[in-house]
Amino acid sequence: LRLRERRVSERLEDIEAELSPRFAEGEVGAEDGEVSGTDTSVSICLVCGFESFNLSLYRGVARDLRRRTEGRVNLSVFSDRDVENNAGEVEEALAGSDVFFGSLLFDYDVVQWLRERVDPVPTRFVFESDLDLMALTRVGTFTMAPPKDGKKAGPPPAVKKILELFGSNREEDRVAGYLTMLKFGPKLLRYLPGKKVKHLRNWLEVYGYWNQAGATNVLSMFSLIVNEYAGLAGADSKLKTDEVTEMPNQGCVHPNARGMVFKDPASYLEWYEREGPLRSTGAPRVALLLYRKHVITNMSYIPALISEMEDGGLVPVPIFINGVEAHTVVRDLLTTAREQDKTTLKKGAVQVDAIVSTIGFPLVGGPAGSVEAGRQQEIGAEILSSKNVPYVVAAPLLIQDIESWEATGMTGLQSIVLYALPELDGAIDTVPIGGLVGDDIFLVKERVKRLVGRLRGWIDLATKPRDEVNLAVMLYGFPPGVGATGTAALLNVPKSLEGLLKRLKGDGYDVGDLPGNVDGEGILTALRALEDARAGAAHLVGAAEEAAAAVGAEVVREEVSPSELSRWLSFPEHWGPTEWGPLPYLPDSKILLDRLEQQWGQLGSPGQLGATPDGKYACLGLRFGKVTVGVQPMLGIEGDPMRLLFERDLTPAPYYCAYYKALEFSWDINAVIHFGTHGTVEWLPGSPVGNTGLSWPDVLLGNLPNVYVYTANNPSESVVAKRRGYGTIVSHNVPPYGRSGLYKELLSLRDLLNEYREDRAEGAALREPIEELVKATGLYSECPLEREGEVLGFDAWVQELVSYLDVVENRLFSEGLHVFGQVPTDAQVEAYLQAYGGEAAEAAEISHLLRRSDEELDGVARALRGEYVLPAPGGDLLRDGPGVLPTGRNIHALDPYRMPSETAEVRGAAAASKILDAHRRQGSGFPETCSVALWGLDAIKTGGDSVGIVLALVGARTIRDSTGRVARFELISLDELGRPRCDVVANVSALFRDQFKNVLELLDDLMLRASRADEPVEMNFVKKHTEKLEREGVDRASSRMFSNPSGDYGSMVNERVGSGNWDEGGELGDTWVSRNAFSYGKGGEAGNARPEVLKALLETTDRVVQGVDSVEYGLTDIQEYYANTGALMRAAEDARRRRG
């Protein structure tokens, strides 16, 4: 403080000279707006957002104020939820208020609602909220209104000038410097003339009281506001204010330290080594970043969290911060055994083995870092990479209660805070550790035990000698019985497995007598033989052992008894509300076993999948030293192995459970590598987002570190592996691209067309052969000579055919399979570059990045050493550019707040225009209803083209808030639109549903507003269909976002087709309807069955739209196209036919 005061003193004259003209111009308050002290009563309206945990404190202060002033000061306390659920009462309170106080308000609808109503309130304090709302701050003549030059709202010049004195010269530290300024600002302003800075000083002092929190501070804060800006009449009307009771902006705490606050981690550990519960044990240390307001308001979950970590054998280093300065703490006060450059460290830094954030948001900037201008992803990754230890987010839910989390999973905004934004920094193994019950935060200790166990797993990998580490490599064999063992999307598994085993050997892992010429195909042959030998027949076991020996492996066989499996799947009998938290019900210790046996019968029953004749479960693998290679077991009953993925009440087979638990408890595996895209464990029933203790992926993976090799172009499904399956993703490249070319009849057709074009006069005789060949090849449906009753000129038709064949000939496709960790040849690099195009400089960059494919093996090696794996966006080189390279990275999806991107909105509008034009060319006018597929993978790769299509069809555009986030979809006026609004029924994939809940809520809100618009029904088909359903008594008739039941995945059409369990196409359409009649949107609409709405919309569906954005996959490559879009088309055709 003395140093800062000296700096201020040295620059005082410059500051005063700078500020004085602005005071004169009225930018910062002089004496205008002061109160006369004649009011007999004062009304203050408080609305808080992310600090709903403080509501009880604020209500207590409100009661105290009324008592002290004999009812003359009335503080009305609300949360942002009250604006949505009890708007009338909030509006009434605002209408008669002298002061408005808002904090941590970000929800767009709430912000807009308040902006429309708080302007008449004479005094307004708004802290740490949406910038547009903060711009309404008015304290005397001190305001935060946007400057007259049209720039965005922000700190006024006086605040900016003082801000220059704080923080470092780093751009990413500016927000952290702002906190320091707010703390010391009132003290420093005594150097400037008091009259000129009165209102600015008052604003800073009010912030200081609020930021320091606590009942005494908050009471003094409102007393100061009343005294200065809403004075009470009477000589003794001044309310007593105390000096701010301060707590440092950051420091360390421990429940055993009896209220002590340690100035830095070193001071804390000095105390801990004397008095801490794990002193002198050498236990691993874990930095624990805590939200400062939770510490100073004595949230009970914090000491419980610290104690639980110690019970698990970890020394916590609990550092409380405001949130925006997390990166400075990690950079300056934490170091690790692996950090190379320690020049940034400050005095008081300590060494840790892992970093856990209980705050969420991005590392750089915290909540402020979630806005476009504040995000510094590369800096966050650079800081974490220098520390090179696991970075984990484990936070309580502050926007959602525990009951709704357990029932339907994490909501959109909550999942963005805990998952999507931290994943941009490379966070892994996110574990929700509690949530709201009413307005209070409760800890779920069972979740903390999972957090601790997984942390121990990663730390063990870092400290255990490599030749003692037990690894499991999990391959896939779906569908069973058709030679699929050892396959994965776009990956040459045998060759890749060879490279992985060689790398493990080179890195010092025990791989036994691995031959120099590892035979990947031979390994797969041995694994298939193992599957045949599972029942234990002697001759089959012998054949499997011979095949294993031929590749340098031995067969490992673990027979898990029903009693062992029962023990592994049971919770401790003494567990009660202390461990499970305030769930709506108390799980029984054998709840998982009960569910398992309810479906599969008693464990070990004769004939159970994977069971031996004596009722045990035979778990088989090939062991190379301490590396076990196995095949992921089948999920369900024979003949329907994927069934349980799509029925939430089902469970994996006992054999499947036995195999995964045997990895952890029988074979003592330290880490599992899921090898390729993709396995099944992350798709098991459970919470869609935010694992609970009853989610099967969480149950079976337990505390095993999970290194997941995944194709770089599939961030949508990799996110499921990351969030539900605790996967640390290591991406691999896609194969090189080739051109499809022409073949057989198409080559003949091209020759005929060229011959005709060379001499049209002589080529007249070719007209009939050309027409016959076009029909024979099936091109006539794509390029008809006669359309809409008119015959196209033959020359024009020939030109159209030539253009069409050019497109077909040059269509890109994936050529071959990628070998993990293998650098592409020069010819393969050239194939990538030819497909990409671009300038020479960009081609050189891409060529260099492609040749870094060996970093894929480096990524696996880093993860297996318990190191930090660099994050990167997943995507497609051809669409997303070189930013998706190099591979070997922990890929993430896009920021859900930014969907659709501005480019995607434009592309979607263009696509919608073509859809409408095509329909009108058929003489059908405008379509009443279109079905549009909203799929996760395509949406991520395009930035939301499909969402742009929906907006354009309905007639809407995005509204972005001051941070650049998409905040609302606004209806375009009919005059501007120039056509009717089309209705849209969205075919939402389960991946889109789980990853983009915020987008579904915005779309649902759009459809509701469209259905209520004051427009004629002949110009608004959304309104037309909704009102018809409402007249029939249908509830929530504006629902348009349809998907599978919450927590379920898939339409089950594939399963019916695969099993042959259908006779005609209508049955497949009915299956699709039954599986996709579940509505999603705002107001708790999270998978409610609304088949009557869906069926009615299908009756009016004229167009079915499925965007395909992939070079690697076409319509015939992925069965989901026919299982979803094809079945939907059939369901719509049948519905229209029934309607007549």
Side-chain angles (χ1 to χ4, degrees), residues 29-34 122-125 138-143 199 229:
E31 302 310 312
D32 294 340
E34 293 187 3
T123 300
R124 306 185 289 269
F125 292 88
R138 175 172 290 279
V139 182
T141 54
F142 168 72
T143 74
H199 300 302
Y229 300 104

Side-chain angles (χ1 to χ4, degrees), residues 787-809:
R787 62 192 70 176
E788 298 182 12
E790 298 181 5
V791 177
L792 194 66
F794 196 84
D795 288 353
W797 187 52
V798 166
Q799 183 58 47
E800 184 175 303
L801 288 168
V802 169
S803 299
Y804 186 88
L805 288 179
D806 284 342
V807 172
V808 172
E809 184 176 13

Side-chain angles (χ1 to χ4, degrees), residues 523-534 540-541 543-545 547-548 620:
I523 294 174
L524 297 189
T525 299
L527 287 171
R528 295 185 189 108
L530 276 184
E531 290 299 297
D532 295 337
R534 188 176 58 202
L540 295 176
V541 172
E545 289 175 342
L620 304 170

Side-chain angles (χ1 to χ4, degrees), residues 467-489:
D467 61 354
E468 296 180 13
V469 173
N470 294 312
L471 299 176
V473 181
M474 192 73 77
L475 307 183
Y476 315 126
F478 175 79
V482 295
T485 298
T487 58

Side-chain angles (χ1 to χ4, degrees), residues 746-791:
L746 293 182
L747 282 171
S748 300
L749 176 60
R750 185 181 65 181
D751 292 341
L752 283 175
L753 293 172
N754 287 337
E755 187 177 348
Y756 174 85
R757 294 170 71 196
E758 288 172 2
D759 189 346
R760 289 186 172 88
E762 296 295 328
L766 299 176
R767 292 192 174 198
E768 184 175 344
I770 287 174
E771 190 168 346
E772 289 177 355
L773 193 51
V774 168
K775 291 178 179 177
T777 58
L779 291 187
Y780 198 84
S781 60
E782 297 290 335
C783 302
L785 178 59
E786 182 178 345
R787 62 192 70 176
E788 298 182 12
E790 298 181 5
V791 177

Side-chain angles (χ1 to χ4, degrees), residues 202-266:
N202 286 343
W203 175 77
L204 287 167
E205 288 183 355
V206 168
Y207 178 87
Y209 281 121
W210 176 76
N211 187 48
Q212 294 299 329
T216 301
N217 283 331
V218 172
L219 180 60
S220 292
M221 176 184 77
F222 284 113
S223 298
L224 174 63
I225 292 172
V226 170
N227 290 342
E228 295 291 333
Y229 300 104
L232 295 171
D236 58 348
S237 61
K238 287 287 185 181
L239 301 180
K240 180 179 179 294
T241 60
D242 296 318
E243 287 291 323
V244 176
T245 302
E246 289 191 352
M247 189 171 185
N249 277 337
Q250 65 187 42
C252 296
V253 293
H254 191 281
N256 293 5
R258 297 179 296 277
M260 295 174 61
V261 176
F262 303 94
K263 63 180 181 179
D264 54 44

Side-chain angles (χ1 to χ4, degrees), residues 41 145 154 159 172 216 259 282 368 451 562 749 811 836 868 877 910 978 1060:
S41 64
V159 176
E172 66 269 23
T216 301
L451 165 69
L749 176 60
R811 187 182 187 277
Y836 183 78
Y868 173 80
L877 170 64

